[in-house]
Amino acid sequence: MHPVLKLVVQRLALGLILLLACSAVIFLGVEALPGDTAQAILGQSATPQALANLREKMGLDQPPLTRYFQWLGGVLTGDLGTALTNGADIATSIGQRLGNTLFLAACAAAISVPLAIILGLIAARHAGKWQDKLISGITLTTISLPEFVAGYFVIFLLTQDNWLTQGIGWLTGGSGRLLPVAMVFPGMGFWERVNAIILPVIVLVLVVLAHMMRMTRAAILNVMQSAYIETAELKGLSPMTVIWRHAFPNAIAPVVSVVMLNLAYLVVGVVVVEVVFGYNALGQYLVDHVTKRDLPVVQAVGLIFAAVYIGLNMLADVIGILANPRLRHPK
Amino acid sequence: MNDKHNQLDWLISRVRKGAMSRREFLGRSTALGVSAGLAGALFGKVALAQEAKKGGTIKVGMQGGESTNSLDPALAASEVPFQVNMTWGEMLVDVHPDGTIDYRIAEEISSSPDAMEWKFKIRKGVEYHDGSTVTAEDVVATLKRHTDEKSQSGALGIVQGIADMKAEGDMVTLKLSSASADLPYLMADYHLIIQPGGGVDAPAAGIGAGPYKVVVNEPGVRHTFQKHANYFDSSIGHADEVEILVINDNTARTAALQSGQVHMINRVDPKIVELLKGVPGVSIKAVAGRGHYVFIMHCDKAPFDNNDMRMALKYAINRQEMVDKILGGLGSRGNDFPINAAYPLFDDTIEQRDYDAAKAKEYYDKAGHDGSPIILRTAPGAFPGAVDAANLFAASANAAGIPLQVKLEPDDGYWSNVWNVEPFCASYWGGRPVQDQMYSTAYLSTADWNDTKFKNAKFDELLLAARGELDAEKRKGEYSEMAHILRDEGGLILPMFNDFVSGVSDTIGGWVDDPNGELMNGRSQVKCWLA
C-alpha cells in the first residue's frame, strides 16, 4: 500500500473511533442536563400525572444504557428517529437545516478564504510597512467585535434609512436597504438565497478574516527566513513571485489547518449570527431542542457537528501531508 | 387655529385608514381642545366609514416560536403556535375585545337555570379546509380528545369538569359535574379548536374551519397561509395571504418592522418604545391586559408559612418603581390578587397596596424571623426584566430592614428545578378570560398549578359558590371577598400587570386594542387589512 494511502486510511479509522467516543460523551452530557424532556415540554404547566404520561409515551422510563444503544443502532442504519417534542422526522428536518448551514458557511468561506490569503500575502510582502499595519489593524478590529455587535452594526448601517443606504440606493437605483431578517425557504432561487444572506455573510467574513490572514502572514514570514528564499531574491525574482512561487507552497500546511478550523467554526459555531438574523439553520434548531430537552435531536445534531469538526481537521492533516514533499516521499 | 384644524384632519384620516384606535383618537383630539363627547361622536362617525381593503399579504414578525412547535392545538403553549392556530382554527366561541362572547362555530348558547347543563347550537354550513362540514359530532369528539390525559392538552383542566357530552342534530349538550356560569368563556380557550373528527386521527394536520389554510408549516421559522375561500364570516380575513415569521431576536424583529419586511411585531422591548415612537411609518400599541409578573411564596414552607412574613414582604415591594423601571411605564400596579379592571366583575374599590417600609418592618418584627437571609430566586427568563425586578425588590426590602437576598438561577431548567420547587421565586401568568378560571387554575386548594401552595377553605367555598351564581351582583361580591382573602393571606406578591406592547406599520388598517391577548388576541392578521 502506498504510504500516503495508508496514512489516510489510518486517519479515517482514527476519526471514526473519535466519533464513537464523541457520541458517548454527547449522550452523557445530555443525560447530565438538569430536568428531563417531559418536564421541559410541560414547563410551567407540569402536573405529576401529565409528567408520568409523557415520560411513558417517550420511553424515558427505560434505563440510559438501553436508550444509548438503541439510538446508536438507529444512527448506523440511517434512522435518527423522531423529535420527542413535535414528532417530526429528525433526518428530514436536519437535512434542510444542514443544507442552509452549509450554504451560509460556503458563501462566507468563498469570500473570506481567498480574501484572507491575499491580504496575508500582501501583509507579508510589506511586513512592517503601512500596508501591513492597515490590514492587521482593520482585521484585528473586526475580530475583536463580538458577533452580535457586528451583526447589529450591519443591521443599523445597511437596513435603516441613513446616508449609507441612500448612497447605495443612488448608485444602484433601488432603495439601497437590505432586509434584516435572512430567512431562506425551499423554492427560492440561488440568487434569491444569496441576496437574503448578504448580511450574515458580511458578519461572518469580518469575524473569521483576521485569524486566517494573520496565520498566512506569519507562516510566510517564517519561511522567508530560509536560505532558499534568499537565493531566489538574489536570482532577481520579484518579491511577489518569491512569495507566491517559493514561500507560499511551503507555508500551506499551517494555513490550511487554520482555514479548516475556521470552516468548522462557520458550520458549527454561528448560532449567535443565526439568531441575530433569524436565519433558519442548524444552530438555532439545536438550541431550541436543548431547551426542550429533546434528546434524540440534540444527540443527532451534536453528532453531525462532531463529524464536521473531525472531518475537516482530518482533511487539513491530509492536505498538509500531500503539500509536504518530505511527508509525501518518506525514506 | 388653522394648525389645529390640520391636525384634527390628520387624526381623522388616520382613523379612516383604521390606523388609530378610539382611545388614541380621544386622547389626541381632546389634547387639541375638542370636547371628549364631541371627539367620541366624531370617532364613531369616522370609524364607521372606514372600509376594509381586500387582498395582499399581511406579514407578522413574532417572538415566541421554536422549531419544536406543533400544529396540534392541544400542545400550544407559546405565542407563535397560539397566533398560528388562531389563523387556521376556529373555536365554538371567541371573546370580543369588550369582553362579550363572539359567536363563531356556535351561533347560540343557552343554559339551564342552575348552570349545570349547557346547549350550543352549531352554525350551519361551516366548512373545513378539506371541504367537509363542521358537525356537532366533531365538536363532541374535539372536547373528548382534550379530556383524554394522553392528549396532554393544555385545556385538560377546563374540559375535566364536563361530566357528559352529547351531539343531537345541530345541538351539542354539555352536562357539568358542578355548576359553572362561565362555561361559554371556558369554551373560548385557544386549545379548543374544532377539528374534523375531533382531530383524533391527525391532531397536527392543521385542518380547521378558520379563515386561512395552512400552506407552509416550518416550526420556528415561518408559517404561511392562504385565504379559505368558503370561510363563513366575510367580515374578517381580508388579506389573500398571511405570513408569520419567527424572529426571536428583539433587534432583528424591530429592524424588520422598520424596514417594512413585516407589518406587525409583538413584544416590543419597553426600553426602546420611546425611540420607536419617533420612527415614521410605525406606531406602538400598548394594550392593558390581564398578564402579570409575580413573586410567589409557598404558604406551607418556612419562613413563608407565617402570614406576618408574607405581609412584610408585600409591603416591602415598590410597585410604582417596578411599573416605571421594568415596564417602562407600560403597565399598572398590582394589588396581590391576580385580577384587574380587564376582568368582568372586578371590584375597583379594593384599596391599592403600596410600598410602606414602616409597616413592612412592623410585620417583619412581628413574624419573629431569626434574621437569616431570605432567598428570592430569579432568572432572566422568569419574565422580561425579572432579574432587575428582583434586585429592586431586594433593595426596597433591605431599606425596610428585611434581609432579602437575590439568587440568580439559569434560564435552562428554571421551570422544572426552581418554579414550584423552591419556596420563593419569580414567575409570570398570562391571565384568563374570566375570574373563575384564573382562580381555579392557580389558587384553589386542589388546583394542579397552585404554585403558592395556598389552601383556604373559605376561599374554596366562595369560588365554588360564585361559579354557579347567575346573579351578577352577588357574584361580584363573592369575587371581591375572595380578592380580599388572597390579598391579605395569600402567597402571591403581584407588583405589576404588564401591557401587551406591539409595533404596527401605518400600512395596517383595522387595529383594535384587545385586552384578551397579544396582537388582538392572536387575530390581528385575520382582522386587520393592508390600507
Side-chain angles (χ1 to χ4, degrees), chain A residues 167-284:
Chain A
I168 296 172
W170 183 74
L171 284 176
T172 58
S175 80
R177 291 164 68 177
L178 292 166
L179 296 179
V181 176
M183 280 181 192
V184 294
F185 318 121
M188 272 172 113
F190 177 77
W191 290 112
E192 241 178 307
R193 279 169 191 260
V194 171
N195 196 36
I197 65 167
I198 291 177
L199 292 181
V201 166
I202 292 175
V203 171
L204 290 177
V205 167
L206 291 179
V207 170
V208 298
L209 203 57
H211 194 194
M212 293 188 284
M213 190 287 287
R214 300 283 294 175
M215 188 44 113
T216 309
R217 178 181 174 278
I220 286 178
L221 286 182
N222 195 26
V223 176
M224 295 293 270
Q225 313 290 328
S226 319
Y228 76 91
I229 297 292
E230 213 172 315
T231 314
E233 276 168 0
L234 290 174
K235 230 166 62 175
L237 293 179
S238 76
M240 226 43 212
T241 318
V242 172
I243 289 177
W244 183 246
R245 296 237 341 132
H246 299 283
F248 187 59
N250 278 305
I252 278 184
V255 172
V256 165
S257 62
V258 167
V259 167
M260 290 303 169
L261 265 183
N262 280 288
L263 289 188
Y265 160 80
L266 286 177
V267 175
V268 309
V270 299
V271 58
V272 174
V273 176
E274 285 177 23
V275 171
V276 168
F277 294 101
Y279 186 67
N280 45 321
L282 219 43
Q284 182 58 49

Side-chain angles (χ1 to χ4, degrees), chain A residues 44-45 54 152 181 185 276 288, chain B residues 67 222 249 252 261 419 449:
Chain A
Q44 200 216 33
S45 56
L54 200 55
Y152 292 154
V181 176
F185 318 121
V276 168
D288 280 353
Chain B
S67 41
R222 63 164 192 163
D249 185 79
Q261 198 171 2
W419 176 80
W449 296 345

Side-chain angles (χ1 to χ4, degrees), chain B residues 31-341:
Chain B
L32 289 175
V34 179
S35 81
L38 180 62
L42 203 57
F43 179 88
K45 219 171 147 191
V46 178
L48 263 184
Q50 63 165 301
E51 217 172 281
K53 287 214 182 103
K54 303 281 174 188
T57 304
I58 291 188
K59 296 181 184 179
V60 189
M62 292 188 68
Q63 186 185 52
E66 303 86 25
S67 41
T68 48
N69 294 152
S70 156
L71 284 181
D72 181 351
L75 301 180
S78 45
E79 283 305 324
V80 172
F82 167 60
Q83 196 90 8
V84 164
N85 294 346
M86 287 299 113
T87 316
W88 66 262
E90 198 62 84
M91 297 154 313
L92 278 176
V93 291
D94 204 345
V95 181
H96 280 304
D98 64 5
T100 55
I101 287 287
D102 178 4
Y103 293 90
R104 309 308 303 167
I105 286 178
E107 59 178 357
E108 252 180 64
I109 303 179
S110 56
S111 83
S112 60
D114 60 356
M116 288 289 282
E117 188 180 296
W118 288 83
K119 283 183 186 301
F120 293 78
K121 188 174 178 219
I122 305 304
R123 197 182 292 276
K124 280 206 172 58
V126 177
E127 206 176 278
Y128 290 118
H129 304 153
D130 64 3
S132 57
T133 308
V134 179
T135 64
E137 284 78 18
D138 290 338
V139 174
V140 169
T142 299
L143 294 179
K144 281 225 166 94
R145 183 170 84 85
H146 289 270
T147 328
D148 184 358
E149 296 248 349
K150 284 206 186 87
S151 71
Q152 301 151 30
S153 174
L156 180 65
I158 291 171
V159 289
Q160 252 173 351
I162 306 174
D164 182 49
M165 37 186 129
K166 196 166 68 206
E168 275 171 315
D170 60 355
M171 199 63 84
V172 171
T173 310
L174 304 180
K175 283 205 180 92
L176 309 183
S177 41
S178 64
S180 170
D182 281 334
L183 190 77
Y185 286 94
L186 301 187
M187 290 297 118
D189 185 275
Y190 61 93
H191 299 99
L192 299 178
I193 285 173
I194 307 303
Q195 293 174 281
V200 176
D201 302 327
I207 301 286
Y212 290 87
K213 297 179 188 187
V214 176
V215 178
V216 173
N217 172 42
E218 271 187 77
V221 183
R222 63 164 192 163
H223 303 266
T224 70
F225 305 86
Q226 205 173 29
K227 184 77 209 278
H228 171 33
N230 297 335
Y231 184 56
F232 72 93
D233 182 358
S234 62
S235 71
I236 59 173
H238 306 294
D240 293 334
E241 286 169 21
V242 167
E243 241 181 86
I244 295 175
L245 302 181
V246 182
I247 314 173
N248 285 318
D249 185 79
N250 284 343
T251 310
R253 199 165 59 254
T254 315
L257 177 69
Q258 279 178 268
S259 67
Q261 198 171 2
V262 296
H263 301 111
M264 294 184 256
I265 60 171
N266 67 342
R267 303 269 171 97
V268 175
D269 184 349
K271 292 191 190 88
I272 61 161
V273 162
E274 281 307 312
L275 297 173
L276 260 186
K277 276 184 180 161
V279 174
V282 169
S283 57
I284 296 292
K285 310 283 184 188
V287 183
R290 306 186 178 104
H292 44 278
Y293 298 157
V294 297
F295 297 104
I296 46 178
M297 307 175 277
H298 286 183
C299 299
D300 60 352
K301 293 198 187 93
F304 312 106
D305 51 354
N306 183 337
N307 194 40
D308 289 327
M309 177 56 97
R310 300 203 290 270
M311 287 301 274
L313 288 165
K314 285 175 185 175
Y315 277 112
I317 194 164
N318 191 335
R319 295 148 205 267
Q320 192 56 49
E321 185 184 34
M322 296 262 172
V323 172
D324 293 342
K325 292 185 178 161
I326 305 298
L327 301 176
L330 303 171
S332 55
R333 283 174 299 168
N335 203 9
D336 299 331
F337 62 101
I339 306 301
N340 64 358

